[in-house]
Amino acid sequence: MDIMKSFSLEGKVALVTGAAYGIGFAIAEAYANAGAKIAFNCRGKEHMEKALAAYAEKGIDAKGYFCDVTDEEQVVKMVADIENELGTIDILVNNAGIIKRIPMHEMSADEFRQVVDIDLNAPFIVSKAVIPGMMKKGHGKIINVCSMMSELGRETVSAYAAAKGGLKMLTKNIASEYGEYNIQCNGIGPGYIATPQTAPLRETQPDGSRHPFDKFIIGKTPAARWGDPEDLMGPAVFLASDASNFVNGHILYVDGGILAYIGKQP
């Protein structure tokens, strides 16, 4: 067995949702560098133009599709268009997601539903759309971007934690239901990653000090830093490649050790 060849994605078609920037962009870039053809979605023209320019700057010929991943009709059309233009989808990364940091007793039911719709219902909708093609082909990889909030709770993220906990179990159930078709479904659980979404938690305070949450995360993480999107590249390639063909229903936490650490004694 050529172990290095087993990590290659040469000729594979990968759909990464929400890959205009941040974690999704880094994963798509890693897949392109490993030989895959890249498709991604955006909902708006401005994001699409910026994303295409960013991919072009990296020398990546990514194909962008306008699609709201919570809309099943739009998703079915996007998947059909990708299959017609690039081929059957071999790799799906359900990365699109949002977070609303609102105390639960102040959060409206509509706000809760919006987070669950994007973070949990959308992965169901997109996975459902690609699985038939994977079944027909006899192989496929689905990677759901979970979170440490799949395991832990914290103030102000009730909807996000509920959705990511559900996504963890959806991951396990897809693995259980479609493993016999040689489809592997796993999750990546990022720790605290330095992205635009987490930027407010890292802002320098008016007095020049670090944000209290920034200091909290550094103190709780054995690696003593926030993760970078690039830290997710290797794990994402592994889970998308033949090197992980007997890994199924697993959540790979890329968190600098935070889930393993009880913290320093005061």
Side-chain angles (χ1 to χ4, degrees):
M1 179 182 181
D2 185 339
I3 189 63
M4 296 309 296
K5 188 176 180 181
S6 72
F7 287 90
S8 172
L9 304 181
E10 194 66 38
K12 303 289 187 181
V13 176
L15 167 60
V16 185
T17 68
Y21 58 88
I23 289 172
F25 185 91
I27 291 173
E29 180 185 355
Y31 287 172
N33 291 339
K37 293 180 281 187
I38 304 301
F40 70 98
N41 76 295
C42 281
R43 288 191 296 177
K45 182 179 178 181
E46 183 179 353
H47 276 165
M48 180 68 77
E49 290 175 348
K50 288 182 178 178
L52 289 173
Y55 280 112
E57 188 177 342
K58 295 280 188 178
I60 300 169
D61 183 21
K63 303 294 184 184
Y65 297 84
F66 287 106
C67 179
D68 178 349
V69 288
T70 67
D71 186 315
E72 188 167 12
E73 187 175 332
Q74 290 186 35
V75 168
V76 168
K77 182 182 184 303
M78 175 179 67
V79 169
D81 289 345
I82 293 170
E83 290 179 346
N84 289 332
E85 295 173 19
L86 298 178
T88 301
I89 294 167
D90 300 287
I91 303 158
L92 166 64
V93 180
N94 284 308
N95 167 73
I98 62 168
I99 187 169
K100 290 182 180 290
R101 298 182 180 91
I102 304 171
M104 182 175 165
H105 70 282
E106 297 176 4
M107 188 175 223
S108 70
D110 282 345
E111 288 170 327
F112 188 94
R113 290 189 190 101
Q114 184 186 11
V115 174
V116 172
D117 201 25
I118 295 172
D119 292 1
L120 179 57
N121 292 343
F124 162 78
I125 290 169
V126 185
S127 297
K128 176 187 172 184
V130 305
I131 283 172
M134 291 179 174
M135 292 171 68
K136 186 175 180 180
K137 195 167 188 176
H139 188 43
K141 301 281 188 175
I142 298 173
I143 297 106
N144 293 322
V145 177
C146 298
S147 165
M148 290 192 308
M149 297 301 107
S150 301
E151 301 289 343
L152 300 172
R154 186 172 62 76
E155 298 84 358
T156 77
V157 294
S158 58
Y160 185 78
K164 292 299 186 177
L167 185 58
K168 175 183 71 174
M169 292 311 302
L170 178 64
T171 299
K172 292 177 180 290
N173 205 81
I174 292 173
S176 302
E177 194 165 355
Y178 296 100
E180 66 180 291
Y181 296 97
N182 195 27
I183 296 171
Q184 291 84 50
C185 182
N186 294 289
I188 290 182
Y192 284 91
I193 308 296
T195 67
Q197 193 178 55
T198 60
L201 303 176
R202 292 177 283 107
E203 288 179 348
T204 302
Q205 301 303 285
D207 63 359
S209 65
R210 298 171 77 169
H211 191 291
F213 192 82
D214 185 13
K215 290 190 288 187
F216 168 71
I217 290 304
I218 297 301
K220 288 290 291 182
T221 306
R225 66 175 178 87
W226 287 68
D228 295 315
E230 290 76 13
D231 289 317
L232 297 161
M233 287 179 160
V237 169
F238 166 65
L239 292 177
S241 72
D242 289 343
S244 62
N245 280 351
F246 205 56
V247 179
N248 210 3
H250 175 72
I251 312 299
L252 174 54
Y253 290 101
V254 185
D255 65 354
I258 194 170
L259 281 174
Y261 186 44
I262 196 172
K264 293 181 180 179
Q265 182 177 342

